[in-house]
Structure formats: C-alpha cells, structure tokens
Amino acid sequence: MKERHYGLAAFSLLVFIFLLGPLVIISITSFGPGTVLKFPPDGFSLRWYQNIWDVSMFPRTFVTSIIISLLGNLLALVLGIPAAYALSRYRFRGRELLNAIFLSPVLIPGIVLGFTMLKYVLVMYHLPIYTGLLVGHTVIMMPFIIRVIGSSLSSFDFSIEEAAVSLGAGRIETFFKVVLPNIRSGIMAAVLIAFLESFNNVDISVFMTGPGISTLPIQMLTYVQNYFDPTIAAISVVLMFLTVLLMFVIERLMGGLSYFTKR
C-alpha cells in the first residue's frame, strides 16, 4: 500500500511539474536583463515590466479589452439572466433545444465561430469593427452567464417567489426583490468567469479586430512576431496574477454560495 501511495504521489508531482513548469519558466525569464528570452536569465531586471508601459499599444489595447469585456458582460447579463431564469423556472417544449443553442458557442470550435461571425456580422451586415467585436464577445460570454446563473437558480426555492406573489407583489417586483438577491453570489461569479473568458480570448478576436482596433491578446501575438524580448513574458506574468486574483474571488463567491444554499 505504501508503494502505491508513493507512486501516486510521484505521479501527481510530475503532473504538477508538467502543468506549472512552463509558468515558472516564463515568470523567471520575464526578469532577464537581456534583449532575448533566455532561461535561466543572466541576471535580474525589471526593465521589461517598464517596457509594457513604454510600448503604447499595450496600454491602449489593454483598455480596449477591459471596455469590450465589461460592455459585453453587461449585454450578456441583460440577455442571460432572463434566459437562465426561464430555463430553470419553467418546463416547456423545446427547452432542451433552446438550452443547447445558448451553450453552443462553447461547443463550436472557436476558429469556426470566429470565421462565421466575421462573414455574417462584419461582412454581411457591415457593422463597425468595434461593434462586431462587442457582439462576438457577448456571444462567447453568454454560455458562462447562463450556465453559472442557472446553477444558482437550480438551488433556489421558487416557493419563496410564489409566496411573495401571493402576498401582493408583482412578478417583476418579485424577480428584482426576491430572486436576484438570492442568486447575487452566482451572478458575481458568472460575471468574473465570463470576464476572464472574454479578456483572454484569441480565436474570436483575431477575426473581429481590424485596423486601429485590437485587443491585448491579439496585440501580444502581433508583437511576438516581430520581437523576441521578455516583454511578452512580463505581460504574461501580470495576466497570470490577474487571473489568479479573479479565480480566488470566484472561489470565495462560489464557496459562499454553497454555504448559504446548505443552510
């Protein structure tokens, strides 16, 4: 039994090394003083973290990514919350088909979805690039909004809603004063997960961006085609810390949600 235990521990360690090794290497190389990515680095320097701000396209595209993710999140919430409520609250013909349609952006390969949106959103309807990019990111955020909020609604006791209606509250008033406060943690978790998906997206954004308008991940791809310095490694480290921070917040929110649903 001990040999099996040690073997499992060794295998788990190898898996962690395989998963975390590249992240550790990128983090170390981001502090290199040389003009070329090198591991191990010859010294220690923060010049490439400063270079993130010196190269104007990185802060500009960072702001664009933030705006697109926030606006897309807002649109996805406006569309996704009613959809998640209807799918969780009611049983009707075509419910499973409708649910599959809402979740399809996750199932369809990103390149296929991106090319389709380029053809039908930008080319056919002649939408501005910024608007098309916003539509694309809203579409890819919808499944996460609906899935996470739907999961919160599945543990919600709808008899509370019926009690409020029986006491004279209207349906809309009940929805905003009874239903939404009880799934607040799920909504916040859905927003953060969808934000991460949108902010780090490449396959949709590469088709929907154009001259003068780009997102940070696409700009990073463009930069690495012409330069091989540790700037991209430095940006990757910053984004890793941002992702870890948001995932920690999501875990706390989902943990709080589980706590309250068990009480």
Side-chain angles (χ1 to χ4, degrees), residues 73 77 81 144-145 148-150 152-153 175 179-194 253-254 257:
N73 229 318
L77 280 175
I81 291 179
F144 298 94
I145 295 292
V148 176
I149 294 178
S152 299
L153 286 169
F175 180 77
V179 178
L180 288 186
N182 279 278
I183 61 170
R184 182 174 58 250
S185 296
I187 293 175
M188 295 177 66
V191 166
L192 292 176
I193 293 173
L253 289 174
M254 295 304 291
L257 178 63

Side-chain angles (χ1 to χ4, degrees), residues 18-41:
F18 177 78
L19 294 175
L20 300 179
L23 303 181
V24 173
I25 293 174
I26 288 295
S27 300
I28 294 175
T29 55
S30 68
F31 296 101
T35 56
V36 178
L37 276 172
K38 183 179 179 181
F39 182 82

Side-chain angles (χ1 to χ4, degrees), residues 198-252:
S198 172
F199 187 87
N200 295 319
N201 182 267
V202 173
D203 42 14
I204 301 294
S205 299
V206 75
F207 287 97
M208 307 301 287
T209 52
I213 298 177
S214 183
T215 61
L216 182 59
I218 303 304
Q219 196 60 63
M220 291 171 65
L221 287 176
T222 303
Y223 186 87
V224 81
Q225 291 176 354
N226 303 302
Y227 305 94
F228 200 62
D229 58 54
T231 302
I232 296 300
I235 297 176
S236 300
V237 172
V238 173
L239 293 180
M240 276 192 285
F241 276 107
L242 176 63
T243 302
V244 169
L245 177 62
L246 289 180
M247 291 305 296
F248 174 77
V249 174
I250 292 171
E251 178 64 26
R252 297 289 294 179

